[in-house]
Amino acid sequence: MDWQSPGELCIWFALTFNIVAGVAFALRALGNHSFEPLARRAYHVFAVSVAGASVWLYVLFFTHNYAFKYVYEYSERSQSFLYILSAFWGGQEGTYLLWLLFNAVFGYLLIRNAAQHRYWAMTVYATVNLFFLILLVRLSPFAYLGQPAADGMGLNPLLRDPWMVIHPPIMFVGYSIAALPFVIALAALIKNDFSQWNKIAFPWVAVTAAGLAAGNILGGFWAYKTLGWGGYWGWDPVENSSLVPWMVSLALLHGMILERRSGALRRTNLALSAVLFLLVVYGTFLTRSGVLQDFSVHSFTDLGITGLLVGFMLFFLVMSAGLFVFRTAHIHSGDLNFNFFGREFLLFAGMVTLLIFGLEVAIWMSLPLLTKAFGASPRAADIATYNAFAQPLSVVIAVLLAISPFANFVPFKLENWGRKLAIVSALAVMCAGLLALFASDDKAVVAVTALLAVLGLGMALWRKDWLMPLAPGLAVGLVTVVICLISGVREPLHLMFFSVAAVALVSNARLMVDFIRTKWLAAGGHITHFGFAVMIIGVLASSAFSTNQKVVLPRGEAKSAMGFQITYNGLAQKIATPNNEVLLSLDHGGTKFEGRPQLYFSERMGGLMKKPFISRALLHDTYFSPEEVKEPSDEPLILKKGEPVVVGPVTLTFLGFEIGQHTDTISSMKVTAKLESKSYDKTVSLAPARIHKTGPDGQPMMVSEPDLLVAGEQAYQVEIQSILADQGAVTLTIPGLSDPMSIDQLILDVSNKPLINLVWAGAFLILIGTITAFLRRHNDLQTQ
């Protein structure tokens, strides 16, 4: 601890006065009114001290004071103003200070809006802030470097993007706000007063959901436009650590709506408020303890704070569980209406589905920790594991979104409700019949779905007054299925997914427009549901039906890919120059323009960094991602065991030698090189060989036995040139593919992302809907 550093002094002032404020708020909560002025003044000093530490950190950054370790590690003199601004949260120390700064600001929301729970809520909130202050004492952004440096290392190249200037702060707003419903719930448990807790906490649950939604959306968009792998969500454990709290916050919103309507699920909602906050802390532990550093590109290394993170989790887990068990008998909840045709049940079903989704993700993202805990070798779940449950659960969500606009809170009457549901039910069975007839070879599936279609039509004919309401929904469903079939979609689950999502989109659009025109503050749920329908269509289309093509572009030679004529014109600068650009000339249907993806070697990251060029259109994006520039060379193609080598559009991996006798003669020996070839999303095995035997004249001779490699529409002969047994390697010749190069070549991955814009449009609508819900509930809180 260096008492000469104003930043350190501010941290210690904040720690001291946070404790004073917490104790004073507790004494005020116990009935001693004289402590309220002290509590408020101490909190003011705490907040000002945190703000002072933040300002001082910026002073160090902008004055390039490289005597401080954090400034040295995350900035450099040539760094632009924007990225010095974002260097504040470039590492763990700064993100904890940023989180604490938001906590200090949001504490005033509790003081102003927490009503009868204000004082106990602020007492618990002080313990939350105490954790961050202890972390900052242990892991200070104001630690000295030891020997001052002339310049810094600079911000991670991946973080030098405008979206990363705003993505982390917005995500931390969501994390920070998650503490508000938590401390309000604990205050209600301490006071044994649940009369107003829902009304007080609801707006902040909505803000938490909005903040986490915005953070996940911006993170996905940053990954899509920056990382160059062509996707926006890779089920990375760090991505999942923010997805799970978002799922729980959405589930909690549904539960709190039910509690406001009938008093049901009060215990569940109180528990979920604690679970939401604890999941944020758990995600922090996973990503910042070093547990995931071998499994995630986003994970931090262990900086010696794992014990503090675990202790914090356990402290609040025990506190929450203890209070809940102690008070559970006094928490009175109303009965949940399990009428399958009512909105209460649909809200409950949506809540449960979201929780199941979140639980599944939480379990699999914890796999490295769980396998290690049980003594096995740590491993992470692959993308296929997540998709196996995400796709069917997304269909369930789409079905609920399609049905929910037609339900209400009044008792069920077939003649009222069925008229509305007819659009969805008949559409679903009709689409099921079409799905089976066009996409399935299974006769049992055809028979069952055809029967469902007949039943659906019979239901419509039984009530002829339903035929008119059926028309719009049937039209949407039929058009959706026809478009999918014309587009080549044959997978039954995909067809069902698209058709149900289309119905959800139409059914929510009608109510969304009605509410926006009449009482827009009540439209938040419908806007959110409409956004979800739009987004899930975009997610499936852009992931399941994305196509890609890898092309090898000799400089100056035009080649065709994804409807573009592409010419590689070299590099703008040397490959070691930061932000170096690849010069592409693109021609799409006679429209010519330049593409400038980035490809450069980062000394800090120790590898090639790439940033794609994206050609945007209304219905799709074309994604140009450079992979490698191969310089002119006359060296042979050498493959070492287990090390993949890119050769044109093919990735070859040498797996090892296989030695045996040749069938022609006992005295011969056959050495086979076992190879794996990947190209155009296809993986095949190759086995070129060399046969060593004795010739007719008694002299040793060698016979080559090549194998055929098929890559796209081209076929190449793969032959062993030499065997490097002492190096565990093999030299190959592949005429037409591995010939010596006289000019440099660019290996470029070109992919098409259909309907990708629906992902961003839907996500934006979800965010708008959640903010609208907050405004409505905040307005209710202000008028109480």
Side-chain angles (χ1 to χ4, degrees):
M1 175 58 59
D2 180 10
W3 293 102
Q4 296 181 348
S5 168
E8 293 281 15
L9 287 173
C10 285
I11 294 297
W12 279 96
F13 265 107
L15 175 64
T16 303
F17 283 94
N18 177 70
I19 294 172
V20 172
V23 172
F25 275 120
L27 292 171
R28 172 62 184 87
L30 291 170
N32 196 327
H33 293 261
S34 63
F35 280 93
E36 182 165 353
L38 174 62
R40 290 176 179 267
R41 289 168 186 163
Y43 190 83
H44 293 328
V45 176
F46 154 74
V48 169
S49 298
V50 174
S54 304
V55 169
W56 183 247
L57 184 57
Y58 267 130
V59 168
L60 297 179
F61 271 120
F62 282 105
T63 57
H64 307 295
N65 194 330
Y66 300 116
F68 291 86
K69 182 173 180 287
Y70 191 74
V71 177
Y72 167 75
E73 289 179 342
Y74 297 102
S75 71
E76 59 185 341
R77 294 184 184 277
S78 61
Q79 209 159 292
S80 69
F81 171 85
L82 198 62
Y83 299 133
I84 290 181
L85 197 69
S86 61
F88 187 112
W89 45 86
Q92 289 203 55
E93 300 92 326
T95 56
Y96 289 130
L97 180 56
L98 179 69
W99 197 336
L100 182 64
L101 178 64
F102 286 139
N103 281 2
V105 173
F106 297 146
Y108 289 104
L109 299 177
L110 280 176
I111 294 173
R112 180 180 177 183
N113 297 300
Q116 69 266 36
H117 299 305
R118 177 181 298 117
Y119 304 114
W120 280 122
M122 289 301 297
T123 302
V124 179
Y125 200 59
T127 61
V128 174
N129 292 331
L130 179 62
F131 159 72
F132 287 100
L133 287 161
I134 292 173
L135 276 180
L136 287 169
V137 169
R138 175 67 179 81
L139 196 66
S140 174
F142 304 106
Y144 280 99
L145 182 61
Q147 184 68 34
D151 202 354
M153 295 172 61
L155 191 63
N156 183 327
L158 293 175
L159 303 182
R160 299 191 188 197
D161 184 89
W163 292 104
M164 289 306 288
V165 178
I166 59 175
H167 160 59
I170 290 176
M171 184 65 81
F172 280 106
V173 166
Y175 287 167
S176 182
I177 287 281
L180 269 60
F182 168 68
V183 299
I184 293 169
L186 261 60
L189 288 167
I190 294 170
K191 284 178 63 66
N192 197 25
D193 179 2
F194 310 101
S195 58
Q196 294 291 314
W197 99 272
N198 185 300
K199 191 172 186 178
I200 297 168
F202 196 115
W204 313 119
V205 177
V207 174
T208 300
L212 294 175
N216 281 295
I217 293 163
L218 291 172
F221 189 73
W222 165 78
Y224 176 69
K225 70 178 287 291
T226 301
L227 298 184
W229 60 277
Y232 45 84
W233 196 265
W235 295 111
D236 184 280
V238 173
E239 297 171 347
N240 295 336
S241 69
S242 58
L243 176 68
V244 174
W246 183 42
M247 293 286 104
V248 173
S249 68
L250 293 175
L252 180 56
L253 282 176
H254 287 74
M256 296 184 84
I257 292 171
L258 285 170
E259 184 182 347
R260 288 173 70 89
R261 293 288 307 185
S262 62
L265 300 180
R266 180 167 292 158
R267 290 187 187 89
T268 301
N269 292 334
L270 287 164
L272 284 179
S273 296
V275 169
L276 171 59
F277 176 70
L278 290 172
L279 281 170
V280 169
V281 180
Y282 177 64
T284 303
F285 160 71
L286 279 183
T287 58
R288 295 164 186 270
S289 63
V291 172
L292 301 178
Q293 61 184 349
D294 296 328
F295 305 101
S296 171
V297 297
H298 307 291
S299 181
F300 291 92
T301 56
D302 183 13
L303 295 181
I305 58 171
T306 301
L308 289 174
L309 293 168
V310 172
F312 182 52
M313 274 194 304
L314 292 177
F315 174 78
F316 279 107
L317 177 62
V318 171
M319 176 190 286
S320 305
L323 281 171
F324 190 80
V325 170
F326 182 69
R327 293 295 193 194
T328 187
H330 303 281
I331 306 172
H332 302 294
S333 292
D335 294 328
L336 183 65
N337 182 358
F338 283 98
N339 168 21
F340 287 176
F341 301 96
R343 186 169 292 180
E344 282 194 24
F345 176 76
L346 291 174
L347 281 168
F348 178 71
M351 175 183 178
V352 171
T353 305
L354 289 166
L355 287 175
I356 291 173
F357 200 124
L359 178 63
E360 288 258 26
V361 176
I363 291 172
W364 287 111
M365 79 175 185
S366 304
L367 189 61
L369 186 64
L370 294 174
T371 50
K372 185 176 181 179
F374 286 99
S377 177
R379 63 187 184 90
D382 57 17
I383 292 176
T385 301
Y386 288 101
N387 288 339
F389 66 81
Q391 285 192 7
L393 282 176
S394 296
V395 173
V396 173
I397 291 172
V399 170
L400 293 172
L401 291 175
I403 296 174
S404 61
F406 303 114
N408 50 44
F409 290 104
V410 300
F412 169 69
K413 291 183 180 179
L414 180 62
E415 59 270 22
N416 294 333
W417 204 83
R419 183 183 181 91
K420 300 175 181 177
L421 182 61
I423 298 174
V424 178
S425 60
L427 171 61
V429 294
M430 289 295 290
C431 288
L434 283 172
L435 179 155
L437 292 173
F438 283 93
S440 178
D441 295 328
D442 191 328
K443 302 304 180 186
V445 173
V446 173
V448 171
T449 49
L451 176 61
L452 287 173
V454 170
L455 289 174
L457 286 175
M459 182 170 27
L461 292 172
W462 172 54
R463 294 302 304 266
K464 295 178 181 176
D465 58 330
W466 291 5
L467 291 177
M468 287 305 294
L470 277 172
L474 279 173
V476 171
L478 290 172
V479 168
T480 301
V481 172
V482 169
I483 291 175
C484 289
L485 292 171
I486 292 174
S487 303
V489 181
R490 293 295 184 271
E491 175 65 37
L493 182 62
H494 293 164
L495 280 169
M496 180 63 78
F497 193 107
F498 278 127
S499 58
V500 175
V503 179
L505 188 148
V506 172
S507 59
N508 281 281
R510 182 180 65 84
L511 280 181
M512 180 183 71
V513 172
D514 288 345
F515 274 102
I516 290 175
R517 287 189 306 187
T518 55
K519 41 183 180 179
W520 68 273
L521 277 178
H526 297 297
I527 296 173
T528 302
H529 290 173
F530 179 77
F532 261 109
V534 172
M535 185 176 72
I536 59 179
I537 292 174
V539 167
L540 180 62
S542 62
S543 55
F545 303 103
S546 174
T547 54
N548 78 300
Q549 183 177 347
K550 192 172 290 187
V551 292
V552 180
L553 298 168
R555 190 201 299 223
E557 181 180 332
K559 288 193 176 183
S560 179
M562 296 293 168
F564 285 80
Q565 282 291 112
I566 310 168
T567 305
Y568 165 55
N569 299 315
L571 301 177
Q573 302 177 74
K574 292 183 178 180
I575 195 71
T577 305
N579 302 317
N580 171 57
E581 294 180 331
V582 178
L583 307 178
L584 299 179
S585 295
L586 304 172
D587 186 338
H588 182 59
T591 302
K592 298 181 179 181
F593 54 98
E594 299 295 316
R596 296 292 184 95
Q598 293 182 2
L599 184 68
Y600 60 95
F601 181 83
S602 169
E603 188 173 335
R604 171 167 181 153
M605 303 302 291
L608 280 177
M609 310 299 295
K610 57 185 179 180
K611 187 174 183 179
F613 171 76
I614 304 173
S615 175
R616 303 186 187 278
L618 181 63
L619 297 180
H620 66 90
D621 282 357
T622 306
Y623 198 87
F624 301 86
S625 180
E627 294 195 349
E628 182 185 2
V629 171
K630 299 183 74 67
E631 298 295 336
S633 171
D634 57 1
E635 295 181 358
L637 178 61
I638 300 176
L639 272 68
K640 294 183 178 180
K641 186 176 180 180
E643 297 182 7
V645 174
V646 178
V647 188
V650 180
T651 300
L652 288 171
T653 305
F654 173 49
L655 304 178
F657 292 113
E658 186 178 273
I659 301 175
Q661 289 184 338
H662 193 255
T663 56
D664 289 348
T665 172
I666 296 176
S667 62
S668 67
M669 181 179 70
K670 181 178 182 180
V671 180
T672 303
K674 309 296 289 185
L675 306 173
E676 182 183 78
S677 165
K678 293 182 179 180
S679 64
Y680 302 101
D681 295 329
K682 292 183 180 179
T683 301
V684 296
S685 297
L686 300 174
R690 294 182 73 174
I691 302 166
H692 300 266
K693 62 180 182 180
T694 303
D697 57 357
Q699 297 297 316
M701 63 178 295
M702 187 277 294
V703 178
S704 178
E705 192 174 275
D707 202 350
L708 193 65
L709 165 64
V710 178
E713 299 179 355
Q714 300 293 321
Y716 306 93
Q717 188 168 275
V718 181
E719 189 172 356
I720 297 177
Q721 184 180 51
S722 61
I723 295 171
L724 309 175
D726 58 331
Q727 302 177 32
V730 63
T731 303
L732 302 176
T733 59
I734 311 176
L737 190 63
S738 65
D739 300 334
M741 298 184 299
S742 59
I743 57 174
D744 56 314
Q745 297 180 348
L746 170 68
I747 300 174
L748 183 70
D749 188 81
V750 186
S751 56
N752 184 273
K753 310 291 181 184
L755 301 184
I756 184 71
N757 290 329
L758 292 186
V759 176
W760 317 125
F764 180 73
L765 287 167
I766 291 170
L767 180 60
I768 294 299
T770 311
I771 293 173
T772 305
F774 159 73
L775 293 174
R776 179 187 180 186
R777 299 307 177 184
H778 186 261
N779 185 60
D780 292 344
L781 183 61
Q782 297 303 309
T783 57
Q784 67 178 345

